[in-house]
Amino acid sequence: MKKDKAMQDSLQMIEKSQIALLGSVDDQGFPNIKAMLKMKNEGLREFWFSTNTSSKRVSQFKTNPKASVYFLDQPTWKGLMLTGTVSILNDRKSRELVWRNGFEKYYPLGIDDPDYCVLKFTAHQGNFYHNLENLTFEP
């Protein structure tokens, strides 16, 4: 498998995906996976998600910022796992970046709701899978 093709396929898969599986590590050292709406991404390196500040995931990332994000294209059985770290962002610019109409349902105080935050995932390594082949790369 060629790196250029794998990275191109990865980008196409990410652009089509609305959902990403975000992995965190709990206080016992076990992986926890949660389906999240992919709000924004910049290539294969940076991804933004929104969540509740009071969520279990935020608590886990405060303790251990190591994370993974997984994308799957089920019809072609292609998969991409990215490993990296998560930053918890509460600044106005980050909140505005991913805010969507209808979020008021979950954050009644609007964009400045203290229970609204942004998770920024920064990938350090990727692994693309297709046709029984794996390719590991740096995004």
Side-chain angles (χ1 to χ4, degrees):
M1 176 182 321
K2 295 191 180 203
K3 181 179 176 181
D4 291 343
K5 174 74 170 137
M7 292 182 79
Q8 180 184 27
D9 285 358
S10 294
L11 281 169
Q12 289 174 351
M13 183 174 29
I14 288 168
E15 293 306 322
K16 289 190 306 186
S17 296
Q18 294 178 341
I19 302 292
L21 301 176
L22 178 64
S24 57
V25 179
D26 70 15
D27 59 358
Q28 301 295 312
F30 290 100
N32 286 214
I33 305 296
K34 181 177 183 181
M36 303 279 291
L37 289 173
K38 179 197 67 152
M39 303 306 296
K40 178 177 172 41
N41 70 287
E42 287 188 17
L44 297 170
R45 182 103 169 115
E46 296 178 325
F47 298 82
W48 287 264
F49 306 94
S50 64
T51 194
N52 296 83
T53 307
S54 61
S55 72
K56 180 191 313 184
R57 206 78 40 219
V58 168
S59 175
Q60 290 172 347
F61 288 131
K62 282 180 181 177
T63 302
N64 184 347
K66 291 181 180 178
S68 63
V69 174
Y70 194 85
F71 293 93
L72 171 67
D73 182 36
Q74 190 173 358
T76 62
W77 206 248
K78 293 178 184 175
L80 173 67
M81 181 182 68
L82 299 165
T83 55
T85 55
V86 165
S87 301
I88 302 162
L89 307 174
N90 290 302
D91 62 284
R92 178 73 183 211
K93 185 176 178 182
S94 296
R95 289 171 180 234
E96 288 173 351
L97 182 69
V98 299
W99 183 263
R100 302 290 187 270
N101 287 333
F103 274 18
E104 297 85 3
K105 177 179 178 180
Y106 306 102
Y107 311 106
L109 300 177
I111 200 165
D112 294 313
D113 193 313
D115 198 33
Y116 170 61
C117 72
V118 174
L119 301 178
K120 180 184 176 188
F121 172 82
T122 303
H124 300 271
Q125 187 173 48
N127 186 75
F128 180 76
Y129 172 84
H130 183 60
N131 286 337
L132 300 175
E133 291 185 61
N134 284 286
L135 176 74
T136 301
F137 61 90
E138 289 184 24

